[in-house]
Amino acid sequence: MLVALTKQHEVFMLTPRITEAALKQLRKTTVFYCPQCQEPLQLKIGAIKIPHFAHQKNSSCDTNFSEGESYEHILGKQQLYTQLSQLGLEVKLEAYLPQLRQRPDLLVSKNNKNYALEFQCSPISPEMLQMRNDGYRSKQILPIWLVKTPKLKLNSSGIAKISLNEQHKQFFETVKEQTYLISYDSESKKFYYLGHLLYVQGNIYIANIKTLSLEKQQFPFYVPKPIPIHEFSQMLSFYHRHCKQFFNTKLFYSRQGVHDLFLRALYELRLSREEIPYFIGIPIKGRESISLFSAEWQLALFYFLQENDLSMKNVNDSAIHYYLKWVKIEETVKTFDAVKRYIGLMQKLNIQSIHCSYNKTELIHLLYGEYIAILRKN
Ligand SMILES: [Zn+2]
């Protein structure tokens, strides 16, 4: 905690401007109280963590659960508070909302609207997240969640392979219409916008990453523009490089041989690795629901059609049910929908078989339409 009450019930806030010596002096002369439970607090001044307040051990205060706060969290909160205050906004740090029994990191007011800003550095359960959001909304407070920045290797293009943990994914799924996730890094004092995520495998995504320094941020936070098609095309190339790696790994290391679905499909379709067309292994919206790699189930679909004497243009829903069973993908609304989307794309491109010629530019445009262009209309 960075905020406490004095004996006179005045709000006392720890800021980087107060020197360590001054704090040590204060600790001797002043008693601080928790704004929520009124218990006396300890002022902790250490070499590693930044100064903060903590309850006595065994306290039953509600805020106690948050006291394992990391250095990163406390520092980030302080930085965000300072910056937003400088923008001339009304900002409250750790304001306790008694009716909700919630204490957002920052409570910001602008143009008669209230926002709860949470810099979430520690895990939060989906139920707790939902509960907090519902609580805020019931009081006409808009929740804004910032997450901790995942480890990144950024190149100049801003396109990177990133690994999102369950926490990140959860936030991403909470904000349905949003195509990006905002993360903050208190060490570099930068916001990282993780946008237009293309799902690869497991926790791996290809993302378009834009950074913004703290002092350039506005409030409410800057919303990134949809990327232009050439940038999207770069993302796809990046994605395809990962597909190629997948093909290579499969071919060199698979011990299952023809029992491996991908290798079997290649063999049956009379394809060599070099001949695998661009339309195999393309990112499909909602395809996170399928645990097989995109190239795997997409190639298997062509194999399935060949085996069953079906053509792409005639694939109907019952064929999709049958295919899912055949390829051992559990059928859910999401998995069914992902396969159907893929088939829809193939039909639009008039691709009937694996050896069919196709227009790559058109394919990129169609994918761009799926992922990005919808946003441009809004
Ligand atoms: Zn307390």
Side-chain angles (χ1 to χ4, degrees), residues 34 37 55 61 63:
C34 171
C37 69
H55 282 83
C61 178
T63 63

Side-chain angles (χ1 to χ4, degrees), residues 250-251 254 256-272 296 299-304 306-307 326-327:
K250 271 278 175 197
L251 290 168
S254 179
Q256 291 176 296
V258 286
H259 298 298
D260 179 275
L261 180 67
F262 186 76
L263 299 183
R264 177 79 199 221
L266 272 184
Y267 176 79
E268 297 290 346
L269 291 164
R270 307 277 180 268
L271 268 185
S272 72
E296 222 164 351
L299 190 73
L301 177 69
F302 282 91
Y303 172 34
F304 169 83
Q306 179 179 288
E307 285 286 287
W326 176 86
V327 77

Side-chain angles (χ1 to χ4, degrees), residues 150-156 158-162 209 238:
K151 286 204 167 58
L152 294 168
K153 250 192 249 156
L154 266 192
N155 56 21
S156 57
I159 297 165
K161 187 170 86 167
I162 58 169
I209 294 158
F238 204 88

